[in-house]
Amino acid sequence: MSALEPLPVTTSPAKERVAYLDNARYWVMLLVVIGHSLTQFTDMDSARGVYVWIYSFHMPFFILISGYTARRYMGDARQVRRIVSTLVVPYLLVETTLQLISRHYTGEPDPLMILSPQWLAWFMAALFVWRLTTPIWRALKYPITTSIVISLLVGLIEVPNVLALPKILGFLPFYVVGLHMSRERFERLTTTRVRAASAVVLGSALVICYLYSKNWTTDWLLWKQRYDEDPLSATAIEGITQRAELLAIGFLLTFAALSLVPRRRSWTTALGGRTFYCYLIHGYIIVYLQYQFHVFDRIDRFGVGAVIGTSLVAVVVANLLMTKPIATTFRPIFEPKLTWLFRDVPKPAPTTSAPSPDPAGERSPAGT
């Protein structure tokens, strides 16, 4: 990939949302909610195959888009303010409340480990760290190679789970590659020939996951454990090889999925612009259903029917959580303006230069 273009001296307000990216966010968010809902059924072959297929690329997909939308980050006052209001505040809120809920029902964690994310909020922490380190990846001569080396080697050493550092470093290549994406590169993925090949790749991957995932340790897909740690229990060479395969598969399936995303504006576009709320809220629903009513344990006996039914309900819930009323209700909570905390940011001076054709100033800082 070519070098990144020079950063502007100042940033401008967010441009109009791009339909292609919002469509992409919509479809991958469906996979996120389905994948999280099927976590309780991974002992069944039918659910395990779908779970492995989804987890092979749904976070790489999200992370690559997040890298793309962050490619003009330069740390000015407006950007810092938005990071705090849309990443730091949601992280603290979600992680604290989910840990309190978990402790209420299970007694763990005790004490609370707010800086050690247990589930959903790890992505907020990751986006925060990746965003702050963006200038580093812009300055390095070989950023993609460096990020891959870091991802492969991090599994050899003990890295504390502070702000989900093991996952942040493991998934790093997808973010750095996203920084190097451009509109032209996305458009090349949407040609008829590439789309046909992508459909075959994704379909074949689903069949392979269904047939061969039963004897494979799914913990590899969590990207957070040392290679020699249970249940991975791999040698250094085995661990690096497995991580390299996951990187290759993640990129292949991510680009295949991106090629199938519609470019035109449709009903999914508006919903895709509100995936931020769906991502944060759906976890509460899953946790409540499991802890309070033990729903997943009760329907487990229905086998494939439980898997299909759970997936369909997940799709319905995801669509409801991406509606405008949900966004209107939860925006003050998850995206507070924090005018009392920050100084007023002056509006950028008008410029006479031609606008960039690349929509790098995409609104959503969280890439969701």
Side-chain angles (χ1 to χ4, degrees):
M1 290 186 175
S2 59
L4 293 170
E5 61 188 54
L7 281 170
V9 177
T10 60
T11 58
S12 58
K15 299 178 177 66
E16 180 183 356
R17 299 192 71 100
V18 178
Y20 173 78
L21 294 180
D22 282 336
N23 290 336
R25 292 186 181 106
Y26 169 81
W27 290 107
V28 76
M29 181 51 63
L30 294 187
L31 295 180
V32 169
V33 179
I34 293 173
H36 287 165
S37 301
L38 294 181
T39 301
Q40 310 296 328
F41 303 129
T42 53
D43 57 330
M44 290 190 292
D45 292 343
S46 55
R48 189 182 183 88
V50 176
Y51 173 89
V52 170
W53 181 73
I54 290 175
Y55 270 70
S56 296
F57 72 96
H58 80 302
M59 288 315 301
F61 187 116
F62 244 141
I63 293 166
L64 188 141
I65 293 178
S66 301
Y68 175 68
T69 58
R71 63 201 309 266
R72 284 179 178 266
Y73 176 81
M74 56 182 292
D76 69 6
R78 182 183 62 82
Q79 292 173 327
V80 169
R81 179 173 177 171
R82 185 140 184 84
I83 282 179
V84 172
S85 64
T86 60
L87 292 181
V88 176
V89 171
Y91 171 84
L92 294 174
L93 178 63
V94 172
E95 189 60 34
T96 301
T97 54
L98 284 179
Q99 287 196 26
L100 286 173
I101 293 171
S102 176
R103 189 166 73 174
H104 172 72
Y105 286 102
T106 68
E108 297 291 338
D110 186 21
L112 297 182
M113 299 183 293
I114 304 305
L115 295 183
S116 180
Q118 306 298 299
W119 189 27
L120 290 177
W122 84 267
F123 191 47
M124 301 293 103
L127 290 172
F128 175 74
V129 174
W130 287 328
R131 186 65 56 88
L132 294 183
T133 61
T134 295
I136 297 176
W137 305 112
R138 300 190 65 95
L140 291 179
K141 191 172 184 179
Y142 304 106
I144 295 177
T145 301
T146 301
S147 68
I148 292 175
V149 170
I150 291 174
S151 178
L152 295 177
L153 297 182
V154 71
L156 298 174
I157 59 177
E158 179 66 31
V159 178
N161 192 43
V162 177
L163 295 182
L165 274 178
K167 301 184 76 166
I168 289 174
L169 298 176
F171 280 118
L172 181 60
F174 299 106
Y175 181 81
V176 176
V177 168
L179 289 173
H180 289 75
M181 290 297 289
S182 64
R183 175 177 287 185
E184 291 73 23
R185 291 190 176 103
F186 281 118
E187 288 178 347
R188 290 186 202 132
L189 294 173
T190 58
T191 62
T192 303
R193 181 176 299 178
V194 174
R195 283 183 165 175
S198 296
V200 173
V201 168
L202 286 171
S204 300
L206 178 58
V207 173
I208 292 172
C209 289
Y210 183 82
L211 294 177
Y212 298 104
S213 64
K214 62 181 68 177
N215 298 320
W216 190 67
T217 304
T218 58
D219 291 77
W220 285 103
L221 297 171
L222 302 181
W223 299 68
K224 66 179 183 180
Q225 294 169 306
R226 292 195 324 272
Y227 299 146
D228 61 352
E229 186 178 1
D230 289 334
L232 304 186
S233 301
T235 65
I237 297 300
E238 291 171 341
I240 291 175
T241 302
Q242 182 67 77
R243 176 64 60 86
E245 291 176 356
L246 288 175
L247 286 171
I249 292 171
F251 278 118
L252 176 63
L253 297 185
T254 293
F255 287 125
L258 283 168
S259 73
L260 297 178
V261 173
R263 295 175 56 187
R264 295 182 179 180
R265 184 171 296 276
S266 67
W267 60 273
T268 65
T269 308
L271 295 177
R274 296 187 284 263
T275 54
F276 180 62
Y277 311 101
C278 180
Y279 180 82
L280 296 178
I281 298 171
H282 84 278
Y284 291 96
I285 298 176
I286 293 175
V287 166
Y288 186 68
L289 290 176
Q290 177 60 17
Y291 285 153
Q292 183 64 33
F293 300 106
H294 306 287
V295 168
F296 301 103
D297 295 332
R298 292 181 177 181
I299 65 175
D300 181 86
R301 59 191 176 91
F302 294 106
V304 176
V307 174
I308 295 175
T310 299
S311 300
L312 292 176
V313 171
V315 170
V316 173
V317 170
N319 277 275
L320 291 175
L321 294 179
M322 286 185 273
T323 57
K324 189 173 182 179
I326 294 295
T328 302
T329 302
F330 287 94
R331 181 175 289 117
I333 301 174
F334 291 130
E335 295 187 83
K337 295 185 179 299
L338 301 179
T339 53
W340 57 271
L341 183 61
F342 292 98
R343 300 174 181 177
D344 292 335
V345 179
K347 295 182 179 181
T351 176
T352 57
S353 59
S356 169
D358 195 297
E362 191 65 18
R363 176 184 176 275
S364 176
T368 56

